Each structure stands twice: as structure tokens, then as C-alpha cells.
Amino acid sequence: MIGRPRQEILRQLPHFQTVPPPLLERIASQCTARTLRAGETIFHEGDPATAFFVVIEGGAVLYRANDDGKRQVMNRVRPGQTFAEAAALTMRIYPATAEATHTPTELLAIDTTNLLCELEREPKLAAAMIGSLSAWLRRMVERVDELSAASAGARLARHLLRLPASGKGARLRIELPMAKKDLAEHLAITPETLSRLLKRWSDRGLIDNEGKVLVVLDPELLETIATGDESES
Amino acid sequence: MIGRPRQEILRQLPHFQTVPPPLLERIASQCTARTLRAGETIFHEGDPATAFFVVIEGGAVLYRANDDGKRQVMNRVRPGQTFAEAAALTMRIYPATAEATHTPTELLAIDTTNLLCELEREPKLAAAMIGSLSAWLRRMVERVDELSAASAGARLARHLLRLPASGKGARLRIELPMAKKDLAEHLAITPETLSRLLKRWSDRGLIDNEGKVLVVLDPELLETIATGDESES
DNA sequence: CGGTGCGTTGACATTTCTCAACTGTTGTGG
DNA sequence: CCACAACAGTTGAGAAATGTCAACGCACCG
């Protein structure tokens, strides 16, 4: 699995989404690829923390040894995920041991000594990383907020209210950025439920449902539904 | 609302969670507080982006003017949330207009010119910010993953498997870090449903439910349940 | 010794899912 | 240009999951 170019892998991480290409290239050139087999150790608890990792293939588990010698599993990571950033960036040592769980497990190690040098040389890099992490974080917080609404109606309402909408006050025009089945999946409901919700709201005059375009006729009521405290009948 | 000290407000943001206190103090001292009334503009689309904002009280809306003069609402923010980080940190100009939606609306403006200077002077600051943003992001991604599982059982299973656990292989000992009612809320289910799930699993020999301590007797089966493709009966 | 709040359990109501059929659109090959 | 397949979207009926309401035990705490 020599796989995709490193730059492409890094680019997909929230960390490097908006880093200027030449900088990213330099960072990519300073990464180290590691291939391990299940059970092999990536780093030990107490080791000086000099890098964080992206899982490209396989997986890893992070654990601490307990008093009684048993493992206390802190975290498990799968392809596409990163681990040990916080340790490598803000602490001196790894607070846990990391071990590959699959054969093969492929990792990309981003050396933080190098990264810190780059950050020093290029304030724009720090800005780019902080900016794109912030943007991702916001999106994730929004999704958590949506998904933790109890009813399907509230989830849908919250989502719609966050979507780019044109027209102010009493009439919002919302263009759905994806197919309804994808929207349903996004909200963790079935397409049928979504369809029925829209129909019910449409029948009651809350919205106009014209295919990919929704017109919200009563934004305030929608907001009430989003809160969850309503008599939906 | 002169309210809490600025430092405390900043400390609660994912951005500054692990920033060393003296640094945070300096950053806090360079922030500007702004109080606005509903309808007042915070910044205009096209303005040079020199700061990002924390909402302390009230709220704001971000919008772009449409071709036909109508507003295209991009985002709404409430107390505790931040906005315009990405713009202020990676772009030169604000891509949208921001306007207060409540009276009063209190904001804290974090000047990015200053912040960039600090980042240059203190590479540790960048590391701290990137580190804590990464940690937060991971937590949020985990929660989205949990919450987007269709069934309550799958949500619970996913959550349990992510919790710190001691003991390897065939027996996992998990100490619940919060009361069951809080766990239920976290998973967006009712305490009753949680209780019934645990009882069902307990009856089937999947787990031992001893108050605040759960012992998973069959981690593999739990993992299957977490995936969702199972005959739960 | 009450009181308060968590956890559990039961009966019942409601929501949501599943399965199945049907419609309408789109794109493709004849 | 038509016939047809493929698929998104809708609708209906019944099943399953989950929530609601109410009652009870139990621990903790004044």
C-alpha cells in the first residue's frame, strides 16, 4: 500500500484543509510513513512526544497500563483518523501507549518538532490550521446539536434553519444542497419519514415543498418545532 | 453585563483551552468588548477581516446580500459560540455581513493581527491552540458517530466501546464516568430506555450491570451491535 | 425518621421504521 | 423519438422501537 501521495492524505485532514500548497508540500516531505503489524507498538506511555499520527490503513488502540497490569483502553482509531495531536503539541510525553490492531497498519507520522519550526517560520501556517480546525469544529458542533434533538421533526427543523436561506422575515427560501435521501441519511432518519414530515408541514401551510427548493412560510413556528417544545399533532 | 473576566470567557473556548495562563492573559488584554443593539452591523461583507468574535450575550446573524437584494443567511450564532475565525485567520476579507439580532448583544473581538503577532512570538501558543482544537474536534466527531447510529442499542454500544476500559480480550471493565440519567441524555435517549437496554443485555449474559461499573462479557458481540447489523431480539 | 432524587419496572401511547407498491424523472440504447 | 431501465420520491399498512406516565425500591442526607 504505497497508496496516495502524502499531500493528498494530509489535505483531507481538518488540520491542513486551508494550508497553502507549497507549505503543505514541505510538511508532507517531512512526514514519515510507518507500516506495522497487529500488536506492534507505535509509542510507549512516557516516551517523549515528538509526532502525531494519521491512520491510513488498519487501526490502533491507545491504552494505559493499570495498577493490576490490565489495559485501560483510552481510544481506538481507524483509517482517516488522527491521534496524539494534543499530546504531541501541548505535552512533552505521550500519556498512553499506542499499538497497531490490524495487519497491516499504515501510519503517517507528522513530526511536531518540524511542524513547530514551520509554525515559527510561517505564522500563516498556524493561522490556516487554527482557522480550518475552527470551521470543522463548528460544523461538528452543529451536527451534534441537530442529532441530539429527540424527534425527527426537530432534527429536520434545526437543520433547515441552519441552511443558507434567502429572503428575510416572513418567508425563507431554502435550496436543498443535496438529494432528499442524502438529507435523510444526514439526519439519521429514513427517506420515508422525511417525505412524510415535509408533506405534513406542507399540508399545514408551514412550508412549500417544490422539489429541491423549500419555502418556509412560518419561520417562527419552524423555530418552535426545532426547540422540541411543541404540539406537533 | 460587564460580566465575567475576559480570560475566563476565552478559557472556555476550544481554542484557548490549553494555552498557558500568562499567554492567555496577554491575549485577553488585547481583546475588545463590543455591545450592540439588534440590527446593528458588526462587520460588512468585503471589509478587511481583522478579528473574530465570541458571543457573550444576545446573538448575531451572518448573511450575504443576494442578487435580488434579499438576504442569504449563512449562519446564526448564540452565546458561547464563535464566528468568523476562518475568515479572520485565513482570508483577507469577511465573506459575509454580520449583524446583531438581540438587544443587547455583547461580543468579544479577538484581533487577529495581535494574535498573529503572538503566534509568531510564541510557537507554543500555536501548538496549544491546534492541540486543543484537535482534541475537541475528535470528541465531536465521536459524538456525531454515536448519535447517527439508528438504534438506541447501537448508540449505547458505540459509546461504551469508546469509554476507558480496563481488562483486555474477553472481559472489559468499564466504569461509567457519569450518572445513568446523564449518560441517557448524552445519547439522546430516555433513562428508561437505557435501563431496559442494560437489563436486556444483562439477561442475555452480554454484560454485568453493577451500578456504576459495567463488565462487558462479550466485547465482540457488543461491537456487532454497535455496527447496527444484528438481530437484537 | 422523613425527604429527595436516581434507577428500575410496568402499561400504554406515539413515533419511527420496514416492507411493498406506485409515480415521476432522467438517461440510455434502439 | 420511443421504450425501457434505474432510481429518487411518495404513499400506505403494519411492525418495532422508543417515549410517556406512573409506581416503587433504594440510597443518601439532613
Side-chain angles (χ1 to χ4, degrees):
Chain A
M1 291 288 135
I2 296 87
R4 297 164 301 158
R6 293 171 180 188
Q7 234 174 299
E8 199 180 306
I9 293 165
L10 294 181
R11 181 63 80 193
Q12 288 181 354
L13 300 177
H15 305 74
F16 300 110
Q17 212 110 49
T18 56
V19 170
L23 257 177
L24 187 64
E25 195 173 346
R26 202 156 73 210
I27 294 169
S29 72
Q30 292 166 348
C31 290
T32 320
R34 290 178 64 180
T35 305
L36 304 119
R37 278 179 299 182
E40 286 191 275
T41 301
I42 300 158
F43 53 74
H44 279 103
E45 178 178 348
D47 282 355
T50 59
F52 69 90
F53 299 84
V54 195
V55 182
I56 298 169
E57 199 192 345
V61 59
L62 285 89
Y63 65 86
R64 306 180 67 158
N66 226 350
D67 311 328
D68 45 341
K70 285 183 175 176
R71 293 179 171 193
Q72 179 105 7
V73 174
M74 310 301 295
N75 199 6
R76 291 171 177 281
V77 284
R78 306 299 327 257
Q81 294 186 301
T82 57
F83 61 98
E85 309 102 310
L89 285 163
T90 70
M91 303 160 84
R92 308 242 139 175
I93 59 171
Y94 293 114
T97 301
E99 191 181 290
T101 51
H102 294 66
T103 305
T105 288
E106 257 205 301
L107 305 174
L108 200 57
I110 292 123
D111 190 288
T112 45
T113 318
N114 281 332
L115 189 61
L116 282 171
C117 291
E118 295 292 351
L119 285 171
E120 219 163 331
R121 275 201 288 185
E122 291 280 358
K124 285 218 189 314
L125 173 60
M129 290 183 70
I130 294 166
S132 71
L133 281 168
S134 301
W136 266 82
L137 184 58
R138 191 207 329 292
R139 257 175 282 161
M140 287 299 127
V141 169
E142 281 172 10
R143 288 212 64 191
V144 169
D145 181 53
E146 274 169 31
L147 290 169
S148 55
S151 78
R155 286 208 287 280
L156 175 57
R158 287 192 196 190
H159 184 79
L160 291 181
L161 288 170
R162 283 231 179 72
L163 246 32
S166 63
K168 65 176 134 178
R171 246 179 118 87
L172 290 174
R173 189 175 171 282
I174 298 172
E175 187 151 349
L176 296 179
M178 45 181 163
K180 292 211 174 94
K181 89 183 165 83
D182 297 320
L183 174 59
E185 190 183 3
H186 187 84
L187 296 172
I189 61 179
T190 57
E192 291 96 324
T193 302
L194 174 59
S195 179
R196 283 188 253 267
L197 274 172
L198 291 176
K199 176 156 175 37
R200 215 159 66 211
W201 290 353
S202 198
D203 288 349
R204 272 190 268 155
L206 210 181
I207 62 169
D208 264 359
N209 179 2
E210 299 155 358
K212 286 217 162 322
V213 174
L214 294 185
V215 180
V216 181
L217 304 174
D218 189 344
E220 288 197 16
L221 181 50
L222 195 62
E223 203 127 4
T224 316
I225 294 175
T227 314
D229 40 67
E230 29 81 45
S231 49
E232 272 212 60
S233 167
Chain B
M1 289 286 135
I2 296 87
R4 298 163 300 159
R6 293 172 178 184
Q7 232 173 300
E8 198 181 306
I9 293 166
L10 294 181
R11 180 64 79 195
Q12 287 181 355
L13 300 177
H15 304 75
F16 299 111
Q17 212 109 49
T18 57
V19 171
L23 257 176
L24 187 65
E25 194 174 346
R26 203 155 73 212
I27 293 169
S29 72
Q30 292 167 348
C31 291
T32 320
R34 289 179 66 180
T35 304
L36 306 120
R37 278 179 299 181
E40 287 192 273
T41 300
I42 301 159
F43 53 75
H44 277 105
E45 177 178 348
D47 283 354
T50 59
F52 69 91
F53 300 84
V54 196
V55 183
I56 298 168
E57 200 192 343
V61 59
L62 285 89
Y63 65 86
R64 307 180 67 156
N66 228 350
D67 311 329
D68 45 342
K70 285 184 179 175
R71 293 178 172 193
Q72 179 103 9
V73 176
M74 311 302 294
N75 199 6
R76 290 172 177 280
V77 284
R78 307 298 328 257
Q81 294 187 301
T82 57
F83 61 97
E85 307 102 310
L89 285 163
T90 69
M91 304 160 81
R92 308 242 139 175
I93 59 170
Y94 293 113
T97 302
E99 191 180 292
T101 51
H102 295 66
T103 305
T105 289
E106 257 205 300
L107 305 174
L108 199 57
I110 292 122
D111 190 288
T112 46
T113 318
N114 281 333
L115 190 60
L116 283 171
C117 291
E118 295 292 349
L119 287 170
E120 219 162 330
R121 272 201 288 184
E122 290 281 357
K124 286 218 188 314
L125 173 60
M129 291 183 69
I130 294 165
S132 71
L133 281 168
S134 301
W136 265 82
L137 182 59
R138 193 210 325 293
R139 256 174 283 161
M140 287 300 125
V141 168
E142 280 172 10
R143 287 211 63 190
V144 168
D145 181 52
E146 273 169 32
L147 290 169
S148 57
S151 78
R155 286 208 288 280
L156 174 58
R158 285 192 198 189
H159 184 79
L160 291 181
L161 288 169
R162 283 228 179 75
L163 247 33
S166 63
K168 64 176 134 183
R171 244 177 120 86
L172 289 175
R173 189 174 171 282
I174 298 173
E175 187 151 350
L176 295 180
M178 46 182 162
K180 291 208 173 101
K181 89 182 165 82
D182 297 320
L183 174 58
E185 190 185 1
H186 187 84
L187 296 171
I189 61 179
T190 57
E192 291 95 324
T193 302
L194 173 59
S195 181
R196 284 188 251 268
L197 274 172
L198 291 175
K199 175 156 176 38
R200 212 160 68 213
W201 291 352
S202 197
D203 287 349
R204 271 190 267 155
L206 211 182
I207 62 169
D208 265 0
N209 181 3
E210 301 155 358
K212 285 217 163 321
V213 174
L214 293 185
V215 180
V216 181
L217 304 172
D218 190 343
E220 288 198 14
L221 181 50
L222 195 63
E223 203 127 7
T224 316
I225 294 175
T227 314
D229 39 69
E230 29 80 46
S231 48
E232 272 212 59
S233 167

